[in-house]
Each structure stands twice: as C-alpha cells, then as structure tokens.
Amino acid sequence: MSLRSQTTPCPTVQAHMVMDMTYDATTQNIYALAFDITAAEEGEDGEIDIPFGLFTLDKATGEATLIGYQDYEMLYTLAASPEGQLVALSSGGTLWNLSKLSGELAEETGYAEQLPTALQSMTFDKDGLLWWAGFNEIQTNGLTSPNGFLANFTFYEEEYFYGYNFVGKLGNNLEVVGLYIDPQNIANGAPSAVTSFSAIPGEAGATTCLLQWTNPSQTFGGSTLPDGFSVNIYRNDNLIKTFTNCTNNETMTYQDSGMEAGTYVYKAVVSNNEGEGPAAYTDSHFVGADIPGAVNEAKAEKSGNGYEINVSWTKPAVGANGGWFDSENLTYKVVRYPDSVTLHENLNNTYFTDKTITELHGFDQRLELMDNLRQR
C-alpha cells in the first residue's frame, strides 16, 4: 500500500476521478474520495487493483492533499458522522469505517442489501442516521434496469450491530450526488463556533493542558452576536468547565488539570437563549508522560572481526503516542533472532558489538525501550 504524500490542484488530481466528497464538522475539513485509473494493476488473483485515495481539499484554493491510498476495495460513497468518523460504501455493499490519518479501511460497520454502481452519495443527519441515495442496475429477464433508490443505516451502541432500511425507489436512471443534511440543525440566532481553538499539553509530562480560543462575534445566521452567552468546554465529550456572561470576540484561556496521562480532544460549544451553536474541536493531543516511541536509524553491520556485529541506533524522537517522554533515562533490552538470545537487559548506550556469534547464520536484533515509567 502506497502512502504517497503530495499536493495537487483539485480539478487535475493527476488522473483521479472523484467518487464522493463530504464535510467533517469536527475538523472543518472537506474530504474527497477518488481513484487513480492510470495506476490500476492486475493482482495475483487476476482482479484489477485500483488505488483509491482519500484527500483533503483546501477551501480557499481548491488544492487537494493526499492522505493515503488503499486498493483493497472499490469505494463509491463517503460521509462524515457528527462525531467525525468517515464511512465509505464498497462495491460489495460493505460499509467501512475509514481512517482520516492514513486513508485505509479501518473496520466493517454494516452491510447493504443493494450493491452500488455508478454515482451516488451518503450523508448523516443530526441523530446519527446515515442516509444513502443509491444507484444500481437490476437484471430482469435479460434486461438491465437502472435504478435510483433511498435507504438508510441505523447504528446502535452495541458493537457490530446496525439496521438497514430500504426506503423506496427514486426513479429509473436517477443518480443523486452531493446528498447533504445539516447534521447540527442550529437556530440562526444561536452563536457561531469559537475560532482559533488550540490545546497545548503541559511541559515535561505534566498532566495539564492549556486551552485558548476566540469567542464568536456573529450568530450562526450571520448577525452580530450579543454579549452574555456561555461557553462550555468538554474533554473527550465530558463537560469540565462552563464560562458564563461571555463577551463577543474575546480571547479566552483555560488551564485543564488533574487528568490521567492519555490522549485527549477538547470541544467548545457556545450557547445562548436561542440554543447551542456548532461545536469546535482541538487536535488530538497526548497529555502527561508518554512511553517511548520507536528508535531511529537502527542498523547492524559486520565489524570485520570474525562473526562480530556492530549494532547501533538513535533515540526515539517522540513518544509512542506523540507526547513527551523522558529521553534522558532510557535503557534498552536487546534480543537477537532467530535464536532468541537476550544480549542486554538494561543497556544505557545506543550501540554495542555482538561478540557471541560462533557460526555463520542470518540474524536480526529486536530493541525494547525501558523508561522510568513503563516498557515499550
């Protein structure tokens, strides 16, 4: 699987054909699903593998930035849930969760009773119901009947449980693209979202996080927002702080503390007597002391003296979850394979020479990092 990083204007994304697009309110990103027909290859099973790419689109310039490719499934639709989960429907009728980080298929989340062909679209409503304006071709007595239809998926709290409901036909040869339902259903007089919402984890593994944002100056409908509204702050969807009697266009901060080390996303929701406005989200951050990430530049080279092997590496650059870790107190456990010999248990250096090999063989080394908190 190729994760080729590139930026290219949207109307000419090489030879890509855009199948569907969606807007993710949690990140305020536009995502596009497109395939590259010029890169199609015949697989070992004789099937044609076509790389499907997930892109983000710049709202100001229209430029498309590739997130990643997958060629496991042919995908027809793309939609973002109110919580920010991307879903895509495959040619076999499988509904997949799609990773926003890699463009890869994450997990199967449902199955359709109709198989899609041609152009179609999906969208979530505010209650999490996934609507599908589908299109397929039905064979009857040797004749092909193009068929547009409407269906929906219901998702339940129990894992792997879903409901599929065929609503009805839309008409022959009717392909609906760009299906969209406002998932938030916000009143025009409610506040718009905060802007410049950021989260800065505490230094040196401190379990604190500094939040900063700018209050809205307009209502959701575009009018001037009166002062006196409230701002609710959520950590991983749990309400942690409410500010009342807030001021239009004011920059505010809040120092969150007392949480356990872990990955957190913060949400801000502004409300007044007209209702709640749209939510704004920070990026995901690891707060607290992380465990070490993978070492870099690991290599094993023959020293020239018999069977001796020089092994070296450099320290991890970041924690395993992208957070801070104690890089000054690392030790390393080194295991040689395939004979599973432990060469070092608590090595402080980032290099050593293996002098224990007595016969010609193929070997590799496994490095395990130990810090003063946990093992990686």
Side-chain angles (χ1 to χ4, degrees):
M1 181 169 297
S2 174
L3 297 180
R4 292 164 277 181
S5 179
Q6 60 193 40
T7 301
T8 181
C10 181
T12 56
V13 184
Q14 295 183 347
H16 288 78
M17 175 177 285
V18 176
M19 295 296 291
D20 202 4
M21 297 165 56
T22 191
Y23 176 73
D24 175 18
T26 67
T27 61
Q28 300 182 16
N29 284 334
I30 297 175
Y31 291 93
L33 188 64
F35 67 88
D36 184 2
I37 192 64
T38 63
E41 296 179 353
E42 184 175 351
E44 296 181 357
D45 56 0
E47 297 289 332
I48 300 299
D49 294 330
I50 302 176
F52 272 75
L54 181 66
F55 297 81
T56 56
L57 303 184
D58 189 296
K59 294 188 286 289
T61 66
E63 288 191 342
T65 300
L66 174 67
I67 295 175
Y69 282 113
Q70 67 82 29
D71 58 10
Y72 181 74
E73 288 274 22
M74 183 174 181
L75 303 175
Y76 280 86
T77 65
L78 183 67
S81 74
E83 296 77 27
Q85 176 62 59
L86 294 182
V87 297
L89 187 70
S90 75
S91 58
T94 302
L95 193 65
W96 290 89
N97 283 342
L98 199 63
S99 170
K100 290 191 287 191
L101 299 178
S102 66
E104 297 178 350
L105 304 175
E107 60 183 351
E108 299 176 16
T109 189
Y111 302 93
E113 296 176 6
Q114 284 77 24
L115 303 183
T117 59
L119 295 176
Q120 44 214 288
S121 54
M122 278 183 163
T123 189
F124 282 88
D125 65 20
K126 66 182 181 65
D127 298 317
L129 194 66
L130 178 60
W131 290 90
W132 176 25
F135 185 89
N136 62 8
E137 296 178 342
I138 300 174
Q139 299 288 334
T140 305
N141 298 325
L143 299 177
T144 300
S145 176
N147 175 48
F149 59 88
L150 184 67
N152 57 49
F153 291 84
T154 303
F155 302 97
Y156 303 106
E157 293 183 0
E158 296 85 355
E159 193 173 9
Y160 302 120
F161 281 86
Y162 70 97
Y164 176 78
N165 177 44
F166 180 84
V167 177
K169 290 186 177 182
L170 295 175
N172 291 343
N173 285 317
L174 182 59
E175 299 172 65
V176 177
V177 296
L179 180 67
Y180 179 75
I181 302 171
D182 185 351
Q184 302 182 83
N185 194 24
I186 296 169
N188 283 337
S192 56
V194 304
T195 57
S196 303
F197 191 24
S198 63
I200 303 175
E203 296 182 355
T207 51
T208 62
C209 193
L210 177 63
L211 308 180
Q212 181 172 300
W213 66 91
T214 300
N215 289 337
S217 59
Q218 293 184 323
T219 65
F220 188 71
S223 301
T224 300
L225 177 65
D227 294 340
F229 51 86
S230 298
V231 179
N232 295 307
I233 304 297
Y234 298 80
R235 184 206 309 137
N236 286 1
D237 286 326
N238 296 311
L239 180 64
I240 58 172
K241 181 67 177 179
T242 296
F243 295 89
T244 58
N245 198 28
C246 297
T247 303
N248 176 320
N249 206 37
E250 179 185 4
T251 297
M252 300 183 66
T253 61
Y254 174 65
Q255 178 90 338
D256 187 22
S257 61
M259 71 285 278
E260 296 181 353
T263 300
Y264 297 100
V265 174
Y266 290 89
K267 177 175 71 173
V269 179
V270 188
S271 63
N272 60 11
N273 57 5
E274 295 288 334
E276 290 187 343
Y281 294 80
T282 67
D283 292 334
S284 174
H285 293 281
F286 190 90
V287 178
D290 201 354
I291 58 176
V295 301
N296 298 306
E297 301 178 21
K299 57 186 177 181
E301 300 175 325
K302 195 172 183 300
S303 70
N305 298 322
Y307 296 125
E308 292 183 4
I309 300 295
N310 293 328
V311 182
S312 63
W313 59 92
T314 59
K315 291 181 179 181
V318 296
N321 300 290
W324 177 91
F325 70 99
D326 186 359
S327 62
E328 300 303 318
N329 294 293
L330 293 177
T331 58
Y332 304 87
K333 178 180 180 180
V334 185
V335 181
R336 185 182 65 212
Y337 291 93
D339 52 354
S340 300
V341 174
T342 298
L343 301 174
H344 291 278
E345 281 284 358
N346 291 287
L347 181 66
N348 297 110
N349 297 321
T350 57
Y351 59 88
F352 75 96
T353 299
D354 184 0
K355 300 181 180 181
T356 65
I357 301 174
T358 59
E359 60 182 15
L360 187 64
H361 202 287
F363 294 97
D364 58 65
Q365 316 283 341
R366 174 182 172 182
L367 301 172
E368 294 183 3
L369 288 86
M370 309 288 291
D371 65 3
N372 58 1
L373 294 177
R374 290 154 288 186
Q375 177 176 331
R376 169 63 175 163

